Amino acid sequence: TSHAPGEYEVDHIVPLEIGGSNEGANIYPEPAEPRPGFHEKDVLDDTLPDLVCAGTLDLVTAQQAIAVDWYAAYLTYVLHR
């Protein structure tokens, strides 16, 4: 019921920048710990729109990847690119 500042952030499952919405089904509380947590997902949230805009990643693929398993998408598009 209570958390210290920085323990959680309210996050979008699919970021707004790649077509996510502010609807409740697309928003959830995301912890910083254990890692990977919201810090790592934030990096992915910034990377996917760049890849889509550069034409190196299809929009639908980006949306599905982050919605289904954001950590696998992080490994693929951030750590292993």
Side-chain angles (χ1 to χ4, degrees), residues 55-67:
T56 57
L57 183 63
D58 175 77
L59 176 61
V60 172
T61 301
Q63 291 170 334
Q64 290 174 344
I66 200 166

Side-chain angles (χ1 to χ4, degrees), residues 43-61:
V43 174
L44 179 63
D45 289 351
D46 293 338
T47 301
L48 290 179
D50 292 344
L51 295 173
V52 169
C53 288
T56 57
L57 183 63
D58 175 77
L59 176 61
V60 172
T61 301

Side-chain angles (χ1 to χ4, degrees), residues 3-67:
H3 302 285
E7 286 185 332
Y8 283 84
E9 77 173 16
V10 176
D11 199 9
H12 294 87
I13 296 169
V14 176
L16 299 174
E17 296 86 353
I18 60 170
S21 73
N22 282 321
E23 292 183 22
N26 192 48
I27 298 173
Y28 71 109
E30 185 172 29
E33 300 289 337
R35 292 219 141 150
F38 72 73
H39 297 289
E40 290 78 14
K41 185 169 180 294
D42 287 349
V43 174
L44 179 63
D45 289 351
D46 293 338
T47 301
L48 290 179
D50 292 344
L51 295 173
V52 169
C53 288
T56 57
L57 183 63
D58 175 77
L59 176 61
V60 172
T61 301
Q63 291 170 334
Q64 290 174 344
I66 200 166

